[in-house]
Amino acid sequence: MHIPIEKPFNKHKPPMYIRDFMEGICEKDMEVEKFELYIYSLNDLIERSQHQIKEVSTQLCHMVLNLDNKFDLEDLQRIRKEALAGILVADPKRVCEFLANEFYSEHYTVSTRLEILDVIVIATGRLNTTPLPERNSPAVQEIAASEVKNGGQQEDLSWRQIVDDRIEKKTRRFSTKPKGRSVKIVAASKLTDIGGWLFYPFIEKYDRKIRTLDMMESDSMILSHLIRAVTVVCQASANCPMGTKMALDALGFIHSLLHHQEKVVIRSLIYSLPVIIRPLLPHIEDDDVILQRVLATRQWLCDVIEGRGDSQSAEGACVVLAMIQKQMSDVMDAK
């Protein structure tokens, strides 16, 4: 005999629409039962309300990011990350810009900035496994053709110019467009058309010092998480039309940090390199900048092995150097 699971009684009704949640969660003197009901129904509500979210995406994002855990719910941080990732998937461009601006705002703590980077990683995984609807429709084909024609550069051109300028300032040379390479189009996910929005806004101001954030000095833990997030986005975008360009820009970002002294940053750089370099190796013979950057990367890994880093970093550098050597050999053998 089947005995149904009895749900705890709650005199409050769950929100039916996104705007119901936004209005209800802001009530003064809210009871703990209603707060829990609203929080635990949030992710299902976001999943059901993708079109509604686009109308209020940044407002909802700000509200969720700043939710006060006034009743000490154990799951609030996890629910908040999943909710923010769901909002980002529903409206990637606006939400990515908003989260990047908040990330570099003075008004957040270290834990909130790390949470934002975790959201980028979670959302990247979701977008990469979400197929584009009606990929063969004329509208989608027109967008894809335009991206290929423009080298994957459309609305993020201003970001890339800023990023290129900043990285060039740090490294003294930077190529804004790899030479002699073809764009490879594969089966598309939702990430295909918006990968740059997860990437460029977050490395645009990485070297900027503000009152509560200095990643080049005191906030090395945040910088190491940023490197991880950039690496995840690049790996997921490797087969996108703009994937090679993103990888080259990411390698420029990595190279501007090779003289950082903090162990946690050095280790993050080491483990990011195989992922970022892999899509560039097929073009190594055609592009002098890629060749020079790969050679400089190998030399830096050798320096770490010979004593610049600690023993754990040296061990990781050995493994990564061997991986890069094998990747290069595989590319050469394939030719």
Side-chain angles (χ1 to χ4, degrees):
M1 178 180 177
H2 174 69
I3 301 176
I5 299 175
E6 183 178 353
K7 295 182 179 180
F9 173 76
N10 194 320
K11 63 182 179 181
H12 303 287
K13 293 182 179 180
M16 295 297 295
Y17 304 102
I18 286 293
R19 290 189 184 275
D20 294 339
F21 173 86
M22 295 175 70
E23 293 172 4
I25 203 69
C26 294
E27 288 180 5
K28 293 182 179 179
D29 303 320
M30 176 182 278
E31 297 178 11
V32 61
E33 291 83 3
K34 184 173 182 178
F35 184 79
E36 289 181 347
L37 181 64
Y38 270 55
I39 293 299
Y40 286 119
S41 63
L42 177 57
N43 283 308
D44 287 339
L45 186 59
I46 289 172
E47 190 173 343
R48 299 197 315 265
S49 311
Q50 297 289 294
H51 295 293
Q52 296 176 30
I53 286 174
K54 292 181 180 180
E55 300 173 2
V56 293
S57 57
T58 55
Q59 299 97 307
L60 179 61
C61 204
H62 182 271
M63 183 177 292
V64 173
L65 186 63
N66 292 278
L67 272 176
D68 180 21
N69 193 6
K70 51 190 172 183
F71 298 112
D72 295 324
L73 295 187
E74 292 183 2
D75 293 336
L76 183 62
Q77 187 179 50
R78 176 187 61 80
I79 292 171
R80 178 164 51 209
K81 287 181 186 180
E82 293 177 358
L84 289 169
I87 300 167
L88 192 157
V89 169
D91 193 8
K93 295 180 181 180
R94 275 194 289 262
V95 173
C96 281
E97 281 194 313
F98 171 80
L99 288 177
N101 287 334
E102 297 300 284
F103 180 81
Y104 288 106
S105 167
E106 291 186 348
H107 307 299
Y108 290 100
T109 63
V110 170
S111 61
T112 303
R113 298 184 208 278
L114 295 178
E115 200 168 305
I116 289 173
L117 293 175
D118 286 343
V119 168
I120 296 302
V121 171
I122 295 169
T124 298
R126 292 189 187 181
L127 288 164
N128 198 34
T129 56
T130 304
L132 273 176
E134 301 180 8
R135 187 62 184 172
N136 294 324
S137 68
V140 174
Q141 288 181 339
E142 183 179 351
I143 292 172
S146 177
E147 284 192 349
V148 173
K149 182 178 179 181
N150 294 314
Q153 302 178 30
Q154 289 183 326
E155 297 176 41
D156 15 332
L157 184 59
S158 60
W159 291 342
R160 295 184 187 185
Q161 186 60 52
I162 293 171
V163 170
D164 288 355
D165 291 344
R166 287 185 176 277
I167 292 175
E168 183 176 2
K169 187 177 180 181
K170 293 285 182 181
T171 61
R172 298 193 179 277
R173 63 174 302 164
F174 188 75
S175 174
T176 59
K177 186 175 182 181
K179 300 179 293 183
R181 64 193 62 187
S182 59
V183 177
K184 182 180 179 181
I185 300 179
V186 297
S189 69
K190 198 172 179 181
L191 186 67
T192 301
D193 296 331
I194 52 90
W197 292 88
L198 294 159
F199 175 81
Y200 288 103
F202 285 91
I203 64 172
E204 177 183 343
K205 306 172 187 175
Y206 72 95
D207 58 345
R208 183 174 300 179
K209 181 178 180 179
I210 60 177
R211 182 175 58 86
T212 58
L213 179 66
D214 183 5
M215 289 192 287
M216 303 306 290
E217 295 290 342
S218 57
D219 293 309
S220 54
M221 178 62 70
I222 299 177
L223 180 58
S224 71
H225 278 69
L226 176 61
I227 294 167
R228 169 178 170 259
V230 165
T231 304
V232 170
V233 175
C234 282
Q235 184 174 31
S237 303
N239 291 323
C240 297
M242 57 193 293
T244 303
K245 177 68 171 68
M246 287 172 61
L248 183 57
D249 290 345
L251 188 57
F253 166 66
I254 294 300
H255 269 247
S256 71
L257 300 172
L258 292 183
H259 296 291
H260 206 289
Q261 299 299 314
E262 290 293 331
K263 294 178 182 178
V264 67
V265 174
I266 292 173
R267 292 170 187 169
S268 296
L269 293 171
I270 289 170
Y271 293 115
S272 72
L273 284 170
V275 172
I276 290 172
I277 286 178
R278 180 186 292 273
L280 298 175
L281 291 179
H283 313 285
I284 195 169
E285 292 183 340
D286 304 319
D287 194 301
D288 290 338
V289 173
I290 292 178
L291 176 61
Q292 290 174 15
R293 289 199 182 281
V294 172
L295 293 177
T297 297
R298 291 170 58 190
Q299 183 58 55
W300 179 79
L301 289 169
C302 290
D303 291 343
V304 173
I305 293 168
E306 291 173 1
R308 179 181 167 186
D310 61 299
S311 59
Q312 185 176 345
S313 297
E315 183 179 347
C318 283
V319 173
V320 170
L321 183 61
M323 291 174 65
I324 292 175
Q325 289 290 109
K326 185 177 187 308
Q327 290 173 3
M328 292 179 68
S329 297
D330 291 343
V331 168
M332 297 304 176
D333 291 345
K335 292 185 177 183

